[in-house]
Amino acid sequence: NKRHISVDQESKVEELSEIKFDSSLRDNISCSADLHRQYRSVLGQINWLQSRIQYQACYAFSRCASAAAGPTLGDVRALNKLVRKIRAEEVLLRFWPLDNTTPMRLIGYPDAAYRNNADKSSQRGQAIFIAEGIVKGKVHGRGSLVDYESQKIKKTVLSTTVSELYAFMKCFGTCLFLKGLWMDMSGQALE
């Protein structure tokens, strides 16, 4: 059994805490200057986690980050819910040693949604893995996550198909960048 590298996140998860506020107030009320500061502080802590190890939180984080310029109490509730989710779910990120006797490959998974955000904007995301090559028709599932993101689409999109196309183009472009980076670092071409 090959050993893996685990990414420790426990201390950063333990530092996360919910924002305290009067929960009897309505969701549409704008945050005070102090609540806004706290919102951005907690958002920064989650950003550190989601950009490194909390893959499952990147979509919800992106939605909360979209409201960072002028959050409401409803946005604070959504951020607190994300804090509770991260603290409640133990997530392990492991990097597995890969058999590099065959050419390695990049696998990209783009995804998008049309008008799924509260402001009716669209969202796109991606996950990219480096994996062992295909040998004699056998595909192994061994691989490690190397890149992921979830972001609001900032251009006008008129359908799910166009949203998916933006997601695919970004994922494909990132795969090409990573392929070039891998070639510079290792001298090997990735499939």
Side-chain angles (χ1 to χ4, degrees), residues 120-139:
K120 299 298 181 205
S121 62
S122 299
Q123 194 83 9
R124 67 158 181 81
Q126 69 189 30
I128 300 173
F129 297 83
I130 189 166
E132 292 179 0
I134 300 171
V135 181
K136 296 179 189 166
K138 285 188 171 183
V139 178

Side-chain angles (χ1 to χ4, degrees), residues 20-164:
K20 292 178 180 31
F21 68 102
D22 183 356
S23 61
S24 67
L25 297 174
R26 295 179 156 272
D27 283 353
N28 61 350
I29 296 175
S30 294
C31 289
S32 65
D34 183 53
L35 270 180
H36 192 179
R37 181 193 56 73
Q38 290 179 59
Y39 185 91
R40 293 177 68 88
S41 174
V42 172
L43 199 62
Q45 291 175 320
I46 294 174
N47 186 34
W48 189 95
L49 281 165
Q50 70 86 27
S51 67
R52 287 163 178 81
I53 40 189
Q54 291 284 338
Y55 171 75
Q56 84 293 350
C58 70
Y59 175 73
F61 169 80
S62 178
R63 299 283 298 265
C64 290
S66 293
T72 63
L73 294 183
D75 297 322
V76 172
R77 282 186 177 88
L79 189 64
N80 281 346
K81 182 177 179 182
L82 181 56
V83 167
R84 287 191 303 274
K85 177 181 173 150
I86 290 171
R87 289 180 62 89
E89 296 175 359
E90 182 179 354
V91 175
L92 301 174
L93 181 59
R94 294 180 174 155
F95 293 96
W96 297 92
L98 303 174
D99 179 11
N100 61 0
T101 58
T102 61
M104 305 290 265
R105 61 195 170 111
L106 284 173
I107 304 169
Y109 297 97
D111 191 24
Y114 175 63
R115 299 183 68 175
N116 64 321
N117 293 332
D119 63 358
K120 299 298 181 205
S121 62
S122 299
Q123 194 83 9
R124 67 158 181 81
Q126 69 189 30
I128 300 173
F129 297 83
I130 189 166
E132 292 179 0
I134 300 171
V135 181
K136 296 179 189 166
K138 285 188 171 183
V139 178
H140 296 285
R142 290 185 290 268
S144 291
L145 183 67
V146 292
D147 182 66
Y148 60 90
E149 68 176 20
S150 177
Q151 289 189 350
K152 183 188 285 191
I153 297 174
K154 295 179 175 66
K155 296 179 170 81
T156 302
V157 293
L158 301 176
S159 69
T160 301
T161 304
V162 175
S163 298
E164 293 285 351

